[in-house]
């Protein structure tokens, strides 16, 4: 019987197909400190589950029992694990199981166990044809869902799907960023796709810098795009100051009456990079970088007061480096 509220629950003891099973009660010890208040239906189903788990029964009724328990508690990893053993043992229709887990995920989109079960079923089927569209559907519900993104990245890598997608997968990312430029999950996925499909040549880095700068100018207070810009530049063998377009764009944005602290922080990053002395920066360039960085710290203390102590700390580090 289903656990849906609009159907009458029939206890397992009154079901003909379960009369041969002796249920096993949960043993919480003689004096449980804080017993969990399970529903009577869930207690009943779990009592019978313990019995089939003990006997390792592999049958259609056992599979149906796991379906009922999952309806009560879709996060029960032991039940999911046993369900997979059942599927393998009774040679169940895995296509039907994929449809089943799709329905369960739709109702429990932020549940670790349901996504893992789908991964196991997709692996057994060795057929990824439905996975990209399914994750798209789930991300339409929540574009920043960690579980859906993790699963999509697993499927892309496990089945090597990049070549089957528009722009090797970047097309979908671009669509998401058009819808929501602040979608940090989409920015993360962009880095993932590029890492898996390309090497960070200087040409690719320049392309990504140009792409990101366009987004930065649209929303200077977007931490996701600024962080992505910094990350891309760190992949280059060139010093940060060599990215003149990025420096110029952010310098122009910093001239506004109330500039974005993120833009100022990026410029600070550029000047700190010059002061590290890991390239051929001249002493004049380093002196100029120190002066600029010092002013940026002062400005950040003014407009980003909640992090004032942090920016003072950064400023003190600058002075210690010079000494």
């Amino acid at each position: 019987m289903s656990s849906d509220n609009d159907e009458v629950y029939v206890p397992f003891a009154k079901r003909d197909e379960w009369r041969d099973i002796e249920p096993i009660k949960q043993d919480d010890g003689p004096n449980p400190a804080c017993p969990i208040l399970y529903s009577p239906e869930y207690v009943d189903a779990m009592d019978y589950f313990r019995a089939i788990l003990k006997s390792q029964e592999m049958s259609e009724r056992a599979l149906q029992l796991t379906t009922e328990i999952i309806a009560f508690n879709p996060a029960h990893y032991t039940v999911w694990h046993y369900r997979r053993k059942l599927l393998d043992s009774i040679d169940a229709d895995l296509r039907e199981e994929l449809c089943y887990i799709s329905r369960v995920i739709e109702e429990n989109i932020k549940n670790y166990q349901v996504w893992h079960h789908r991964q196991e079923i997709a692996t057994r089927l060795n057929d990824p044809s439905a996975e990209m569209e399914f994750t798209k559907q789930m991300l339409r519900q929540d574009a920043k869902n960690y579980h859906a993104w993790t699963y999509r990245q697993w499927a892309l890598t496990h089945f090597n799907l990049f070549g089957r997608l528009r722009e090797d997968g970047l097309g979908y990312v671009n669509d998401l960023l058009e819808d929501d430029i602040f979608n940090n999950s989409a920015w993360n996925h962009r880095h993932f796709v590029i890492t898996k499909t390309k090497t960070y040549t200087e040409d690719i880095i320049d392309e990504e810098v140009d792409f990101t700068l366009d987004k930065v100018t649209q929303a200077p207070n977007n931490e996701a795009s600024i962080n992505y810009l910094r990350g891309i530049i760190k992949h280059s063998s060139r010093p940060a100051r060599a990215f003149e377009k990025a420096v110029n764009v952010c310098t122009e944005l910093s001239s506004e009456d109330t500039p974005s602290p993120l833009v100022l922080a990026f410029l600070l990053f550029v000047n700190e990079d010059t002061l590290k002395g890991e390239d051929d920066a001249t002493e004049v360039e380093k002196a100029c970088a120190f002066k600029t960085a010092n002013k940026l710290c002062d400005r950040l203390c003014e407009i980003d007061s909640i992090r004032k102590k942090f920016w003072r700390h950064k400023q003190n580090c600058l002075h210690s480096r010079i000494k």
Side-chain angles (χ1 to χ4, degrees), residues 9 48 53 57 123 154 182 197 201 240 305 308:
Y9 181 82
Y48 279 79
L53 185 63
E57 177 181 320
T123 300
W154 168 79
F182 292 91
T197 60
T201 63
S305 57
K308 182 176 181 178

Side-chain angles (χ1 to χ4, degrees), residues 89-220:
S89 178
I90 67 176
D91 195 25
D93 185 343
L94 295 183
R95 299 274 174 201
E96 184 178 317
E97 184 69 9
L98 193 66
C99 292
Y100 163 74
I101 192 58
S102 295
R103 296 192 298 272
V104 176
I105 290 176
E106 287 172 0
E107 297 298 321
N108 304 274
I109 195 171
K110 293 187 177 181
N111 177 309
Y112 284 98
Q113 284 72 37
V114 299
W115 284 103
H116 178 68
H117 186 69
R118 187 180 184 94
Q119 178 177 324
E120 291 288 341
I121 300 305
T123 300
R124 284 164 167 77
L125 285 169
N126 195 29
D127 178 9
S129 58
E131 303 316 293
M132 294 296 98
E133 183 57 35
F134 181 74
T135 54
K136 275 188 179 182
Q137 292 175 9
M138 296 303 100
L139 288 168
R140 287 191 194 107
Q141 295 184 32
D142 179 3
K144 300 179 182 180
N145 186 304
Y146 167 82
H147 305 277
W149 278 117
T150 301
Y151 183 84
R152 187 178 180 87
Q153 292 183 356
W154 168 79
L156 280 166
T157 304
H158 183 79
F159 295 110
N160 193 22
L161 301 178
F162 298 99
R164 306 186 194 181
L165 303 179
R166 181 163 48 99
E167 297 180 57
D168 291 334
L170 286 182
Y172 176 56
V173 175
N174 292 339
D175 293 343
L176 288 177
L177 291 176
E178 284 297 319
D179 292 338
D180 179 11
I181 200 173
F182 292 91
N183 187 343
N184 55 297
S185 298
W187 283 106
N188 176 276
H189 192 65
R190 185 177 187 87
H191 174 69
F192 169 82
V193 171
I194 292 174
T195 301
K196 293 294 183 178
T197 60
K198 306 174 183 180
T199 57
Y200 274 106
T201 63
E202 296 300 330
D203 287 342
I204 294 296
I205 291 170
D206 286 338
E207 289 175 8
E208 285 302 293
V209 168
D210 287 344
F211 173 87
T212 310
L213 285 175
D214 177 62
K215 306 303 180 186
V216 170
T217 55
Q218 292 179 43

Side-chain angles (χ1 to χ4, degrees), residues 36-54:
I36 299 174
L37 188 62
Y38 298 115
S39 69
E41 295 83 1
Y42 181 70
V43 170
D44 184 37
M46 283 302 300
D47 289 348
Y48 279 79
F49 177 73
R50 291 186 198 92
I52 66 165
L53 185 63
K54 181 178 180 180

